[in-house]
Amino acid sequence: FGGKMSAVPDGKKLVRSPSGLRMVPENGAFNSPFSLDEPQWVPDKECPRCMQCDAKFDFITRKHHCRRCGRCFCDKCCSKKVALPRMCFVDPVRQCGECGLISQKEVEFYDKQLKVLTAGGTFLVTVGSSEKSETMACRLSNNHRYLFLDGESHFEVELSRISSMQVMTEGSTPGGGLSRATGMLLHYKPPGSQDPQQLRMEATDDKRIASAWLAAMHKAAKLLYESRDQ
């Protein structure tokens, strides 16, 4: 296994920001690829009114900043405290209505889909244009930074190096019926190389588990691209 980056243990530290307590990796290079940076708060002098309902701020109507978007709101428009795992907050934090809904959906991803991804699935894996396929167990590492593929050989793909991800499906009906994920096509840049490598994964024996894993990976891809676009 040797000097693989994924073998380095990830230390965590508690940091206090104006928004609340956060549990972050000691080394910034080890941030989860799904993580989001804290926003810059809109300066107080630039927001005399609530950015949602336009109420004027005064001694009675206090202003609050949404921890996710950094904009200013009155208490009524920014009263909900919602968990925000992508910013590593220890406790739920104050968010505006719009951000709170997005965060709630993400909490579901962290509660459900991430568990599916770290538990893994079994796939028939083909690397590049190779004729040879290998049955491998594929799972997301616990720090969410790598895909581990284990069969007769072992290799890993760093999520931050994935350039495109396409889920293959079957059984979709013209009427828009449910289709099932059967495989995935990944393009990634191996370390030290600028040429993208293709990885093809196809569901083998337990199609139900594989399909759930692929669907979770599809959701993960969305968060991944958002984090990169910051």
Side-chain angles (χ1 to χ4, degrees), residues 175-194:
L178 280 178
S179 60
R180 187 170 67 171
T182 55
M184 186 166 66
L185 216 49
L186 281 184
H187 288 95
Y188 71 100
K189 288 188 178 139
S193 157
Q194 279 310 302

Side-chain angles (χ1 to χ4, degrees), residues 34-81:
F34 304 124
S35 65
L36 293 172
D37 296 329
E38 275 189 86
Q40 288 282 322
W41 282 11
V42 172
D44 282 351
K45 58 177 187 294
E46 283 177 28
C47 49
R49 294 171 175 277
C50 170
M51 292 176 146
Q52 181 72 40
C53 73
D54 213 33
K56 194 173 187 304
F57 296 128
D58 53 30
F59 286 120
I60 299 159
T61 309
R62 306 291 300 275
K63 75 174 60 150
H64 300 282
H65 284 88
C66 168
R67 299 336 194 208
R68 185 174 179 122
C69 66
R71 296 186 304 156
C72 295
F73 300 93
C74 68
D75 187 59
K76 197 169 88 257
C77 296
C78 194
S79 60
K80 260 200 149 148
K81 289 195 171 181

Side-chain angles (χ1 to χ4, degrees), residues 105-126:
K105 283 197 179 125
E106 289 171 358
V107 167
E108 193 177 302
F109 171 79
Y110 273 75
D111 283 350
K112 295 186 183 149
Q113 275 86 19
L114 267 181
K115 290 193 173 85
V116 170
L117 291 173
T118 50
T122 309
F123 297 92
L124 196 61
V125 178
T126 318

